[in-house]
Amino acid sequence: MPTTTERLLEAAQALPEPLLGEVLDFAEFLRARHARTASGAGGLDLLDLCGGLEGSETFQGAPELIQRRLRDAWH
């Protein structure tokens, strides 16, 4: 029975060059994610930020009021 590495190599050899680039990108992403997780320096995930603005004064009130506050903040 072939190893995972052998199976991956066989699958990669059957792919056209543009798809190999995608496979390489994904492999590098997985390696970086694993290294970040292993080092404990993962930082915040996007899901950690969910719901973080409901207590903000800027986002209280009617949608028109929120829009006006946001617009005024940029002028």
Side-chain angles (χ1 to χ4, degrees):
M1 178 160 199
T3 66
T4 303
T5 302
E6 291 168 339
R7 290 175 53 210
L8 181 59
L9 181 58
E10 184 180 314
Q13 288 173 335
L15 291 174
E17 189 66 32
L19 293 180
L20 283 175
E22 291 183 41
V23 171
L24 179 60
D25 288 345
F26 185 65
E28 289 174 346
F29 159 76
L30 290 175
R31 183 175 29 195
R33 185 178 72 179
H34 177 72
R36 190 172 56 241
T37 303
S39 71
L44 290 176
D45 286 334
L46 183 58
L47 290 176
D48 293 334
L49 301 174
C50 287
L53 296 175
E54 72 270 0
S56 170
E57 184 178 316
T58 302
F59 293 97
Q60 300 299 314
E64 296 82 11
L65 181 59
I66 295 170
Q67 182 181 16
R68 187 176 310 117
R69 283 188 196 124
L70 293 172
R71 184 183 59 234
D72 291 348
W74 288 95
H75 291 282

